[in-house]
Amino acid sequence: MTESKRRKPLVADKRYPSGGRKTSSAKRTAKPAGKKATARKTTTRKTSRKPRRKRSGGGQGGFFRRLFRWIWHLIWGLTWRVGAIAALLLALAVGVVYSTLPEVDALLDGRARGSVTLLDRDGKVFAWRGDQFGGVITTDTVSPHLKNAVVATEDKRFYRHFGVSPRGIASAVKINLSEGRGPLSGHGGSTITQQTAKLLCLGVPYDPTEWESEAAYEADCRQGSLWRKAKEAIYAMAMEVKYSKDEILTIYLNRAFLGAGARGFEAASQRYFGKSAAEVDPAEAAMLAGLLVAPTRYAPTNNLQRSQDRAKVVISLMEDQGHLTTSQATAARNNPAELSEAAAARAGGYFADWVMASGPEFFTRNTTEDVVIKTTLDQRIQQAAEAALKQVFDEKVSEGSKAQAAIVVMSADGAVRAMVGGRKTKVSGAFNRATQALRQTGSSFKPFVYATALELGYSPLATVVDEPYCIDIPGSGQWCPKNYTNKFYGRVTLADALKNSLNIPAVKVAEVAGLDNVRTVASGFGIESDLAAGPALALGASESTLIEMTGAYAGILNGGSSVEPYGLTELKLLGDDAPMMVTTTGIGERVIRDEAAKQLTWMMERVVSEGTGQRAKLPGWQVAGKTGTTQAARDAWFIGFTADYVAGVWMGYDDNTPLSGVTGGGLPAEIWKETMVRVTEGMTPTPLPMLAPAAPVQTTQQSQPRRRQQGGFAKAVDSLLKDLFGGN
């Protein structure tokens, strides 16, 4: 029992046939293959496979998978087919636009009008008008700094995209949304190619018969609708196929608007820096490129500091993108671009506007050509007038006053040397009070009354009685003029009457000389405004402009000949040698005798040396002139001259508000003096062309004055001589 217990079979023995594992294995190996063996082998393989697990809900899950796959295949099939059709249509659209694109040369200057460049009397540029185009530049001829600045600022991936930059658009949309705007409002993500397409107005040229104005045409070109953006993208891609990258950039460099009427970077460089776009340094290039975002706002002629700050941003972009080294960028920041002398001065804006308005329209306001006009402007005198006006208003006019002033300086032949049309001098297109404001002339008109009497033969020393005086005016009743001082001075000479600006003697002399004659003399000297019909004519009741009055005084200085104020001396087309127009003088027909003009000059010299115009005295110089103050002091004038220049000053309010405590002998005379002190600096004083009367003259019937008219006028003079001038 003990042994039987010991020989208890092992569990492993049950797994194998008798004889043990090794034996059974050996037997299987040695035993020939048979049916039984085969059956055993097959059974073994079957038992080695794992049974499949039954998936829960297998039928329903398979259905959804098959449905999802079907939908996915449907969407994919539609997508690639629609995409293929869209790509085909896009390619077709690009191809159609491509077929319409002209050669590059035809796209470089697309202005609808020409430009006018204005030169001063020395041939230096001082102003531009119209659309300035400096000439064609290319990416090869332009400064590499300018080329890099434009790319860095506007489209850093310009040389890598196909005309449209999806990354740029996505970035722009993100920025717009983050700043609280619509996805297409603000930043547009446009490439340089798209911007060029917009500058080309998608190939639609300006037609004045179809558009209300050029401004309306350009506004339509700049609209930012989704459909417009799509058309720009197609046009841009067509350009990428037609032109090289450098050709596209060349078009852009020549057509971009850069403020102050400059079209293209060559014009802008010449306008702001007085040099070619091929010569600009990094600081100047950055300033020009910075204009692209907002040309008017960042124009250095509007605000130099703001333009320099914008340029620093562009310099940083150029540095970040590897266009400038750190040392170059630092140098550019430390030495910002400055305006040229002409651009910084911005002198003569009112004068330039006047020349443009008075010149031939087809060569000035509406020119389709590039025109160069040489003018009479003297920039030194212009700056003198501007500085004088500023000084007097800064020192002697209360802060916040809205009073205005205007100045005109001209030579004796009518050549205008300076013009200030208002207190704001750095302007263009503004209301010009020197040429456009019709104002009552007041006592500044009186020299033409006395010019008429002198032309008729009266002496400056002839006398007239200053006393209460009334005239019955048909339809208006009795009119009784008074002197400014409300006093009467008895018998006075004509010279003293003018010196002290007495009103009653002026009215009496005008009545004797004949109001029609006074009007003839005044209009002969160039006062073309409607002149008053009644006796108030003698006291300056008529209206005129400052330039008319100054030109009339120039006629007195030149010896009695009429003057047409002029500013244009030569006009020619850009590139032509022969001028199309030339003006050498503004002197016209004689109005009064040379002797009468010189006697009148002597009388007017006493106005400054002894009378109402003493604040206009110039040390070392002889000055002749006349003050003028209208009723209620709404206008104050001083017009005077040396032997070299005539200058006129007007002061008043645009809305006719009376001036407070101002007369023509006050602030206007001081502005005149400050102007002429600067004008005559360094000049040798020249005596006035004046003729003093030899001795007092008694007017008698036996010594009749020379008369311009006979008949009724002569009889009227004879009948009034005794009453007005005395005699035997």
Side-chain angles (χ1 to χ4, degrees), residues 200-201 203-207 210-211 217:
L200 296 173
C201 205
V204 179
Y206 173 65
D207 185 348
E210 294 184 7
W211 295 94
Y217 164 76

Side-chain angles (χ1 to χ4, degrees), residues 692-707:
V697 175
Q698 287 272 336
T699 304
T700 66
Q701 289 183 342
Q702 287 74 28
S703 178
Q704 291 296 325
R706 184 178 295 134
R707 298 178 178 87

